[in-house]
Amino acid sequence: MTKTVARGLSLLLCGTMLAAVPSFAQDAQTGGTLRVVTYEPLCLDQNEGSSRNTQTALQDVYDRLVSEDLEGQFHPWIASEWSISDDGLTYAFTIRDGVLFHDGTALDAEAVRVNLQRWVDDKNAGGVPVESVAVDGNVVTVTLKSAYSPLLHDLSEPVLGFVSPASIEAYSKEDRCTGGPDITVGSGPFKVVARTSGQDLILERNDAYAWAPENAVHTGAAHLDRVELRFLTEDAVRVGAVESDQADIATGVPAIAVEDVEANANLTLLRTEQPGIPWSFWVNESKPALADVKVREALRIGVDYPSLIEAVFLGTATPAYSALTPGIPFGYDAALEGSWSFDPAAAAALLDEAGWVIGADGIREKDGERLSIVSLSAVNWNNQQRELFAQGIQAGLQQIGVEFTREVLDFATVDARFKANEYDLVDTSQSAAEPNLLFGAFHSEQTWDTNTNWGFVNDPALDAELEAALATTDRDERITHYVTAQQIIKDNAYLIPIANPQVLIAVNNRVQGVTFGTSGQVGSYYDVWLQQ
């Protein structure tokens, strides 16, 4: 027996309110160019180089099977309906007629199969246990090896947007990653008309667009003529661009600029809590010093993280105690809040117990080795606040005899360092509206480059909870497993959560219809319009 879903499926997610500039479809005006200053995507083919920046930049270029709204409900998009078998192993999607890629080829069931199979073949389906992808007429059937409750969520994410099979066949991986007109070919409301690496990505309205997701505010083509995404690394430069009317939207507003943006009568500051995993240290247990839970615990309580958060983030982040943020739609364990506190004396005692002795220069030593910790991050994961925060961490750890160095490098170098296991900590955050992020970050089989278990965590009890959460479609059961998983991660200091960040966007008041996406990023530009 199966159940058929055609509209508004609510699967395991509870609602959350996110701020947005109001949009009224009846008042929407057509035309104009939206100018956005933001971060550069790693790659214009998400299958080859998926990052949140990539997905955000391309979310209006590539359509997906289903759409997820901010209340956690799923709606028809390229799939007009779908059915799920009672055992959760078979998903059958009916593909709507008449959808065309930007190159004029059909986005039919076979094109969907090609894209999903590429995801399976090249990326091991991101850890999703896919057994097969098959086509029968206009129906695509995904069969799983074992139940995987977040499948619809994953299929709604921009990372699984559909690329023209003609482009996949005609161009190399390198060409698709660089991207550009005739290469970055989707079916979305905007198409790529120019791409200058390191500078910009220019999108133009797809006038033929007639297959918006069911939960969109309007139907037909987008309101805007063009969207110009300019890539500016410096926070101050992005904010300056929107303040001086050289841009309409600035993403990644730093805490230090919030007061100025809110005081500007021409701008609105949008903010929401980032769902997912907080900005944290993944602790590499394969390193002898960090294999000792006493050392990991000392790193967690040896720095006054809350005071640093107050000083650096200026009210735009809160101290983190869990491996999930409060902004995630379900599964966050609020009982962990305040479950440890800054205690440098206790941290020093733990390091003493672990055999690390203060050396002549104040840095601890053991068996001839200095307690020197290197934290690794990528340029595109970094921002000004984290740089400032790292200075405070360095000073705090030095007080308890730990030498701390933070390296921020280009992603290719970081990737190579990960593969060579040349790091002690990884500092970053992860954003998604799904607590299954914990599976990729902590399951023993999900180390780089299959996924993001940078800590080499190998805990059978934790694996069991994460696996059980995937195997059930009952929300309450999933929550129970994720709460237990967070407790195990906390008790063993597998992760050092630092800050629950807010996502901040500055928007010119003439821009209407801006929303946040389900993962906290700026949402689709499809319903956005400009007051002329």
Side-chain angles (χ1 to χ4, degrees):
M1 177 179 282
T2 61
K3 57 182 179 181
T4 299
V5 182
R7 59 182 64 238
L9 173 71
S10 179
L11 180 69
L12 312 179
L13 297 176
C14 58
T16 180
M17 294 298 293
L18 297 177
V21 174
S23 174
F24 303 97
Q26 66 270 25
D27 297 329
Q29 300 175 12
T30 300
T33 296
L34 182 71
R35 303 162 301 165
V36 182
V37 286
T38 187
Y39 306 101
E40 183 169 18
L42 285 174
C43 172
L44 295 195
D45 182 349
Q46 313 101 302
N47 199 66
E48 300 302 330
S50 179
S51 70
R52 184 55 57 189
N53 295 339
T54 298
Q55 295 181 46
T56 301
L58 299 176
Q59 62 185 330
D60 289 314
V61 175
Y62 299 129
D63 291 325
R64 279 87 77 191
L65 268 178
V66 297
S67 172
E68 182 181 2
D69 65 25
L70 296 180
E71 284 71 45
Q73 295 182 325
F74 294 91
H75 302 268
W77 195 349
I78 299 306
S80 59
E81 63 179 17
W82 57 90
S83 62
I84 307 169
S85 62
D86 287 344
D87 62 8
L89 296 179
T90 304
Y91 289 66
F93 299 92
T94 301
I95 308 305
R96 66 193 297 173
D97 294 327
V99 180
L100 297 176
F101 286 108
H102 300 148
D103 59 11
T105 59
L107 200 176
D108 54 16
E110 176 59 18
V112 171
R113 186 201 67 79
V114 168
N115 275 267
L116 294 181
Q117 192 63 52
R118 185 169 75 117
W119 174 54
V120 172
D121 293 342
D122 294 353
K123 294 296 180 184
N124 191 33
V128 180
V130 176
E131 176 71 38
S132 65
V133 182
V135 171
D136 183 7
N138 67 337
V139 176
V140 175
T141 299
V142 178
T143 303
L144 304 177
K145 301 172 187 175
S146 56
Y148 179 83
S149 48
L151 181 62
L152 288 181
H153 167 80
D154 289 1
L155 292 173
S156 75
E157 284 279 274
V159 69
L160 284 177
F162 298 128
V163 183
S164 167
S167 174
I168 295 172
E169 184 175 348
Y171 296 98
S172 68
K173 292 180 179 181
E174 293 75 19
D175 288 339
R176 290 197 306 274
C177 206
T178 301
D182 303 321
I183 301 175
T184 310
V185 180
S187 61
F190 292 94
K191 54 188 175 182
V192 173
V193 294
R195 152 75 157 161
T196 304
S197 182
Q199 295 185 32
D200 57 33
L201 178 70
I202 309 301
L203 309 179
E204 187 176 90
R205 181 174 57 222
N206 174 14
D207 290 329
Y209 196 70
W211 42 86
E214 184 188 67
N215 59 314
V217 174
H218 80 289
T219 59
H223 302 305
L224 299 166
D225 291 330
R226 288 163 64 93
V227 178
E228 296 180 355
L229 305 174
R230 285 191 291 143
F231 309 130
L232 301 176
T233 303
E234 296 296 324
D235 295 343
V237 176
R238 287 195 308 279
V239 174
V242 76
E243 287 179 328
S244 61
D245 201 24
Q246 297 177 63
D248 302 302
I249 295 176
T251 67
V253 174
I256 197 171
V258 165
E259 186 175 347
D260 288 342
V261 171
E262 290 184 326
N264 190 318
N266 297 317
L267 301 177
T268 296
L269 182 75
L270 304 184
R271 65 170 80 199
T272 191
E273 289 187 334
Q274 179 175 297
I277 296 177
W279 180 42
S280 307
F281 285 137
W282 273 254
V283 186
N284 187 348
E285 292 183 67
S286 73
K287 302 301 182 181
L290 298 176
D292 190 333
V293 67
K294 293 178 180 178
V295 175
R296 300 197 299 271
E297 174 67 10
L299 297 180
R300 185 166 68 181
I301 65 173
V303 175
D304 190 357
Y305 296 110
S307 293
L308 285 174
I309 290 168
E310 183 178 356
V312 174
F313 289 96
L314 304 174
T316 65
T318 58
Y321 296 94
S322 167
L324 293 175
T325 71
I328 205 153
F330 73 98
Y332 172 70
D333 185 8
L336 294 181
E337 293 177 8
S339 55
W340 66 83
S341 58
F342 174 50
D343 192 338
L350 285 168
L351 294 175
D352 289 339
E353 292 173 21
W356 292 94
V357 180
I358 295 288
D361 62 352
I363 301 301
R364 292 176 181 267
E365 298 176 352
K366 181 180 180 180
D367 300 329
E369 297 291 330
R370 290 164 61 82
L371 188 49
S372 181
I373 304 294
V374 176
S375 179
L376 192 61
S377 193
V379 171
N380 52 299
W381 301 346
N382 195 41
N383 59 43
Q384 183 180 6
Q385 290 111 305
R386 294 181 183 183
E387 292 281 6
L388 292 171
F389 203 99
Q391 296 174 24
I393 293 174
Q394 184 179 50
L397 290 178
Q398 188 170 1
Q399 293 298 312
I400 60 170
V402 179
E403 184 175 51
F404 174 82
T405 304
R406 183 173 189 256
E407 298 183 7
V408 181
L409 307 169
D410 65 271
F411 185 78
T413 302
V414 168
D415 179 50
R417 291 274 293 274
F418 287 163
K419 291 174 179 176
N421 194 12
E422 295 176 351
Y423 62 92
D424 300 304
L425 306 174
V426 174
D427 79 87
T428 188
S429 59
Q430 295 184 356
S431 57
E434 236 302 328
N436 185 52
L437 276 175
L438 296 180
F439 185 90
F442 298 102
H443 191 278
S444 60
E445 295 180 356
Q446 300 299 309
T447 54
W448 193 264
D449 55 354
T450 299
N451 221 308
T452 61
N453 182 0
W454 291 301
F456 294 93
V457 175
N458 188 351
D459 186 326
L462 179 56
D463 282 356
E465 295 296 336
L466 297 174
E467 291 165 6
L470 287 185
T472 179
T473 56
D474 182 276
R475 188 184 74 180
D476 290 339
E477 288 185 25
R478 293 192 76 202
I479 290 172
T480 297
H481 291 303
Y482 286 125
V483 166
T484 303
Q486 289 166 78
Q487 185 71 47
I488 293 172
I489 293 166
K490 190 271 293 185
D491 288 347
N492 293 278
Y494 292 142
L495 185 80
I496 300 176
I498 299 174
N500 298 311
Q502 290 182 351
V503 182
L504 305 173
I505 303 172
V507 181
N508 189 292
N509 291 335
R510 66 172 166 266
V511 182
Q512 301 296 306
V514 179
T515 61
F516 286 104
T518 56
S519 295
Q521 81 282 9
V522 62
S524 170
Y525 300 118
Y526 171 67
D527 286 320
V528 173
W529 55 279
L530 298 175
Q531 290 181 328
Q532 306 296 326

